[in-house]
Amino acid sequence: MRRRLRLRWDALLTLLLGATLGFLLYAQRDGVAPTTRAPRAQGRAAPGPTPRLRVFQIPDAGAVPQAYEEDTPPEPPAPTRTFDFGRYLRAKDQRHFPLLINEPHKCRGYGAPSAGPDLLIAVKSVVADFERRQAVRQTWGTEGRVQGALVRRVFLLGVPRGASYDWAEAEGEGKQTHWQTLLRAESRAFEDILLWAFDDTFFNLTLKEIHFLAWASAYCPDVRFVFKGDADVFMHVGNLLEFLAARDPAQDLLAGDVIVQARPIRAQASKYYIPEAVYGLPVYPAYAGGGGFVLSGATLRRLASACAQVELFPIDDVFLGMCLQRLQLTPEPHPAFRTFGIPQPSAAPHLRTFDPCFYRELVVVHGLSAADIWLMWHLLHHPHGLACAHPRTVATGPFQWGH
């Protein structure tokens, strides 16, 4: 009798454990994660559900959180060999590099001689990626008046690895290399290139961050808002301007796809490997995904000052989170910033995610080719409009499928 009872109890316990394991696997597959409530925005309250923070669950020892790997932009190319942290630590105090190509009058003109632009678009790029820059120029990065707002644009570049930094000497002696000649011609044609004399490498994106903040503070002191993103994103300028219409540029704001509780990756095979000697805390501060975020003019100027005092860190969006932490500012989550792209829903694997009816409600979608950016722009701006089943304005709550 006792043996039967024990067998029944063992069978029941096995069923319970199996059901629990099945639920956990299903939740992990569908991306279910705990969320924290976003801070209440100042000014006009947006209707709809509370935006969600992206939370990374703490993995088992030695495991690599795969979701975090998707966040940092693919350009400049990730290193193909183990990162030399010894060399990085020896050179980390070198944080002031000359500006080789400047646009000192970028924030003037267009009928606004004294006031700054309403929106400055700053796009991280590399010298060789002319195709993406041109796609941005011809689509969402167009300069001029958009919905009454003055929009200006710059591309942020470093020097290709192994190239000569002696730009002035090369120009004086007429010995410019092919890339220098092309970039100078592009700069004259479009007047939107900022080039600094540091290697444009994956781990030098932090240098690009601090140099842009210093440049914008000096040459665009009256800018109202700044969008900073990658060249492989699609940005809906109209939706961004709608979001910013109720915000005060004199108040602090940094909004995007906010990531909390991201754990430093200790696996040396990962391109995001960070040894404990470089960062010893268990988690990173909250930060906005570097694919695209927006900040106010007030926050831009405060960040420029704070980042000058924070020790450089090789992952640029995490470094910006450290600067925000120094200012005791919390980045604001916004559900229309999709720095991980639009995920394919497990319940509808046949659904096409590259659909203008989805993109028209978002602000940023990360991970597009130049052709995709051009195509989506023209689909959204078709002269006959979009044939969507449920017309509505920009999403103010968490993105939901099937609406």
Side-chain angles (χ1 to χ4, degrees), residues 5 10 27 33 70 83 102 113-114 203 215 217 225 307 336-337 341 352:
L5 290 174
D10 290 342
E70 300 172 6
F83 183 54
N102 190 14
S114 58
F203 287 107
W215 179 90
S217 297
F225 296 98
C307 288
F337 286 73
R352 292 176 59 251

Side-chain angles (χ1 to χ4, degrees), residues 95-97 196 198 207-216:
R95 52 193 301 158
H96 301 290
F97 291 83
W196 285 277
F198 53 77
L207 291 176
K208 195 170 286 187
E209 191 78 56
I210 63 172
H211 283 78
F212 167 70
L213 289 172
W215 179 90

Side-chain angles (χ1 to χ4, degrees), residues 43-318:
R44 186 176 64 190
T50 303
R52 298 190 179 194
L53 294 166
R54 191 182 298 279
V55 178
F56 288 97
Q57 296 175 337
I58 303 300
D60 295 333
V64 177
Q66 295 298 321
Y68 175 66
E69 297 259 352
E70 300 172 6
D71 177 57
T72 302
E75 296 175 318
T80 56
R81 59 184 182 274
T82 303
F83 183 54
D84 186 351
F85 277 100
R87 180 183 178 188
Y88 176 82
L89 292 173
R90 289 190 297 271
K92 68 180 178 60
D93 293 327
Q94 298 176 4
R95 52 193 301 158
H96 301 290
F97 291 83
L99 186 57
L100 302 177
I101 297 181
N102 190 14
E103 291 296 337
H105 306 297
K106 172 55 64 174
C107 291
R108 304 176 190 173
Y110 279 88
S114 58
D118 297 296
L119 178 65
L120 174 64
I121 295 173
V123 182
K124 292 176 286 185
S125 183
V126 294
V127 168
D129 208 357
F130 172 80
E131 182 182 9
R132 285 192 194 274
R133 289 195 293 277
Q134 197 65 358
V136 171
R137 290 180 181 117
Q138 295 177 352
T139 58
W140 59 265
T142 301
E143 291 190 309
R145 293 283 175 181
V146 180
Q147 297 178 187
L150 177 59
V151 178
R152 304 295 273 153
R153 174 195 67 237
V154 289
F155 291 98
L156 317 177
L157 287 76
V159 172
R161 176 176 289 185
S164 172
Y165 292 156
D166 203 341
W167 184 278
E169 181 179 340
E171 280 193 326
E173 297 179 2
K175 297 179 180 179
Q176 281 191 319
T177 61
H178 185 63
W179 74 267
Q180 289 174 313
T181 302
L182 288 176
L183 195 63
R184 179 62 78 184
E186 183 182 351
S187 175
R188 286 195 298 266
F190 300 103
E191 299 181 340
D192 58 5
I193 298 294
L194 300 178
L195 174 71
W196 285 277
F198 53 77
D199 283 340
D200 207 341
T201 62
F202 180 76
F203 287 107
N204 273 351
L205 287 171
T206 301
L207 291 176
K208 195 170 286 187
E209 191 78 56
I210 63 172
H211 283 78
F212 167 70
L213 289 172
W215 179 90
S217 297
Y219 293 102
C220 292
D222 299 317
V223 64
R224 290 170 56 81
F225 296 98
V226 176
F227 172 81
K228 188 167 181 291
D230 294 341
D232 65 339
V233 305
F234 179 86
M235 199 265 279
H236 198 305
V237 179
N239 289 348
L240 179 61
L241 292 174
E242 280 188 41
F243 166 66
L244 296 175
R247 311 309 292 256
D248 182 357
Q251 300 297 318
D252 279 317
L253 170 70
L254 192 148
D257 191 357
V258 176
I259 301 161
V260 299
Q261 298 297 310
R263 185 174 180 174
I265 294 176
R266 307 302 189 191
Q268 294 190 27
S270 171
K271 64 182 178 181
Y272 300 102
Y273 165 64
I274 298 293
E276 290 191 44
V278 175
Y279 188 84
L281 298 179
V283 295
Y284 291 130
Y287 65 94
F293 57 87
V294 65
L295 64 160
S296 67
T299 300
L300 170 84
R301 292 181 286 274
R302 294 189 66 199
L303 268 180
S305 176
C307 288
Q309 304 171 45
V310 174
E311 186 171 321
L312 293 182
F313 189 75
I315 302 177
D316 61 323
D317 43 12
V318 175

